Amino acid sequence: MAVYHPFPGDLLMDASDRVMAVKRREMVQSLRQKGMVNERVLDAMQKVERHRFIDRESSVHAYEDSAYPIGYGQTISQPYTVAYMTTLLLERCPPPGKILDIGTGSGYQAAILEALGYRVYSIERIQELHDRAVGLFKSLGLAISCRVGDGSLGWEEEAPFDGIIVTAAAPYCPEHLLEQLGDSGCLVIPVGEQAMQQMTVYRHVGERFEKELFHHFAFVPLIGQEGWN
Ligand code: SAH
């Protein structure tokens, strides 16, 4: 059984927030046991209240290490996956910097990036998910710039970016995204078949892009001009 040791901030919370804070610490502890050991990333995941990013009735599931439906056939990413991608980005492009987050979805990944001190720009193709995320960011006081559009084409008006993170499965690496990376910028993107993709990092070094390959994951498809039809 978990023993509850109150933290100073917890005393200002109501009972259900306290329960959530305990569950969040357990989630962070389990991520650590699974090898996610970047303290800055874990701190951000301790701070951001994942239960705000899924519907209220499902909040008991908020701190399980699994993806969860958010409507419109989409999911909030699994905490492990968020920690994994965020660590890849942070180790190569530490904050502060300008990050493009593609696939706003629930807004959770964008909020984690914001908590780390990045300036975050986020694109979502589904209007309703965009609207919901914008409302949530506003109520949480998060300064994240959002728009509706095809993220496979990037966000040209705001380029270049220090980092780009794509939380949907791409069949190949979109050219537009590489073009919008600044010097030393890096792109973290799952690339592969619809059923399974390999986490891939592209780093802009001078005139070239260095590519690194990591573990396999299963994301919902990136739908767009440089994604799936
Ligand atoms: N980062 C999200 C994960 C959402 S799942 C979170 O933390 O909750 C992936 C999201 O990518 C879905 O919301 C889907 O609608 C969106 N998406 C798919 N193709 C896209 C595209 N071309 N441009 C922008 N968003 C896209």
Side-chain angles (χ1 to χ4, degrees):
M1 206 190 96
V3 179
Y4 174 56
H5 301 288
F7 278 55
D10 293 359
L11 302 172
L12 301 171
M13 299 173 176
D14 70 24
S16 67
D17 281 347
R18 273 202 293 275
V19 170
M20 291 299 170
V22 172
K23 285 177 174 284
R24 203 153 54 246
R25 260 195 286 285
E26 288 168 1
M27 174 191 82
V28 167
Q29 196 50 36
S30 95
L31 291 174
R32 208 191 293 278
Q33 280 159 6
K34 291 173 188 166
M36 295 294 105
V37 293
N38 186 299
E39 289 303 325
R40 291 177 81 178
V41 172
L42 293 177
D43 281 352
M45 296 188 75
Q46 180 62 58
K47 181 176 163 205
V48 177
E49 300 181 318
R50 190 168 185 261
H51 66 279
R52 309 267 178 219
F53 296 80
I54 61 179
D55 64 79
R56 201 177 276 271
E57 297 74 52
S58 310
S59 57
V60 287
H61 301 293
Y63 298 107
E64 292 166 5
D65 190 18
S66 54
Y68 200 83
I70 53 171
Y72 310 95
Q74 309 304 323
T75 54
I76 179 172
S77 299
Q78 184 182 344
Y80 179 83
T81 309
V82 174
Y84 192 98
M85 295 183 83
T86 308
T87 301
L88 288 176
L89 181 73
L90 188 102
E91 285 174 346
R92 289 161 185 76
C93 316
K98 190 172 178 180
I99 306 294
L100 177 61
D101 163 59
I102 297 170
T104 313
S106 68
Y108 181 65
Q109 174 72 69
I112 293 288
L113 295 170
E114 198 269 356
L116 282 161
Y118 290 112
R119 259 183 307 141
V120 186
Y121 292 77
S122 188
I123 307 187
E124 171 55 54
R125 63 178 281 275
I126 299 174
Q127 181 77 49
E128 290 83 354
L129 290 176
H130 159 89
D131 292 348
R132 203 162 70 190
V134 167
L136 184 61
F137 294 152
K138 195 167 173 218
S139 73
L140 296 174
L142 305 181
I144 294 170
S145 305
C146 296
R147 59 163 264 223
V148 173
D150 177 2
S152 74
L153 304 177
W155 189 333
E156 206 170 346
E157 299 77 10
E158 291 295 345
F161 295 98
D162 298 300
I164 301 179
I165 193 163
V166 182
T167 59
Y172 59 89
C173 177
E175 273 301 315
H176 284 83
L177 301 187
L178 293 178
E179 282 164 13
Q180 293 177 28
L181 277 184
D183 290 340
S184 312
C186 66
L187 165 64
V188 182
I189 182 170
V191 180
E193 301 301 317
Q194 292 235 3
M196 187 71 87
Q197 310 86 38
Q198 190 160 21
M199 196 59 74
T200 310
V201 175
Y202 291 87
R203 186 153 196 194
H204 193 182
V205 185
E207 300 290 290
R208 318 184 290 119
F209 291 95
E210 285 176 357
K211 181 179 170 184
E212 294 173 273
L213 294 171
F214 297 90
H215 290 154
H216 287 84
F217 291 85
F219 282 82
V220 296
L222 178 74
I223 297 170
Q225 254 187 71
E226 289 212 64
W228 298 95
N229 294 324

